[in-house]
């Protein structure tokens, strides 16, 4: 949600948009949000989660049973659910949003 708000602020073309964008930069004011640091943190989390998906499965019996129960609930009448693909799609979507926020901020500053 915060990424979407940052994207909307970056896209705002009114004078208020410039004022709000200034608040997303470190050192702009005492209460400013360091958006660059936040985006870097999200990028690190994305990399970490992708490494987890690419690594060997872990979790144990409890995780297996929970995944099976969720898969059965979600997959009723639709076939099996591919949790790995769902996770990868979610992570990829967030990665694209981070990239888009960065692009829009650069364009707004230029």
């Amino acid at each position: 949600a915060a990424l979407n708000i940052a994207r909307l602020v970056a896209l705002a073309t009114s004078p208020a948009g410039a004022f709000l964008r200034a608040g997303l930069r470190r050192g702009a004011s005492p209460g400013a949000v360091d958006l660059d640091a936040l985006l870097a943190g999200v990028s690190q989390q994305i990399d970490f989660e992708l490494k987890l998906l690419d690594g060997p499965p872990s979790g144990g019996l409890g995780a297996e049973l929970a995944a099976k129960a969720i898969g059965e609930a979600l997959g009723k009448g639709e076939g099996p659910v591919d949790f790995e693909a769902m996770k990868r799609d979610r992570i990829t979507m967030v990665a694209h949003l981070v990239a888009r926020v960065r692009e829009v901020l650069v364009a707004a500053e230029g």
Side-chain angles (χ1 to χ4, degrees), residues 14-38:
S14 67
F19 174 77
L20 292 170
R21 274 191 300 281
L24 296 176
R25 293 292 183 210
R26 178 181 45 175
S29 67
V33 174
D34 188 355
L35 184 61
D36 295 324
L38 292 174

Side-chain angles (χ1 to χ4, degrees), residues 3-109:
L3 286 173
N4 280 318
I5 291 170
R7 181 178 57 86
L8 292 173
V9 167
L11 288 170
T13 57
S14 67
F19 174 77
L20 292 170
R21 274 191 300 281
L24 296 176
R25 293 292 183 210
R26 178 181 45 175
S29 67
V33 174
D34 188 355
L35 184 61
D36 295 324
L38 292 174
L39 292 174
V42 172
S43 293
Q44 289 175 348
Q45 182 66 29
I46 290 167
D47 292 341
F48 177 77
E49 289 188 28
L50 286 174
K51 285 179 188 174
L52 286 178
L53 283 178
D54 293 336
S58 62
L61 181 60
E64 267 184 55
L65 291 174
K68 183 178 178 185
I70 293 170
E72 288 173 0
L74 291 176
K76 283 188 176 181
E78 298 177 13
V81 176
D82 186 353
F83 284 108
E84 296 299 312
M86 285 174 56
K87 289 177 189 176
R88 190 170 299 280
D89 289 345
R90 179 186 57 81
I91 294 167
T92 302
M93 180 185 65
V94 172
H96 286 292
L97 184 54
V98 168
R100 182 67 181 138
V101 168
R102 285 183 172 145
E103 289 171 5
V104 170
L105 285 173
V106 167
E109 291 173 355

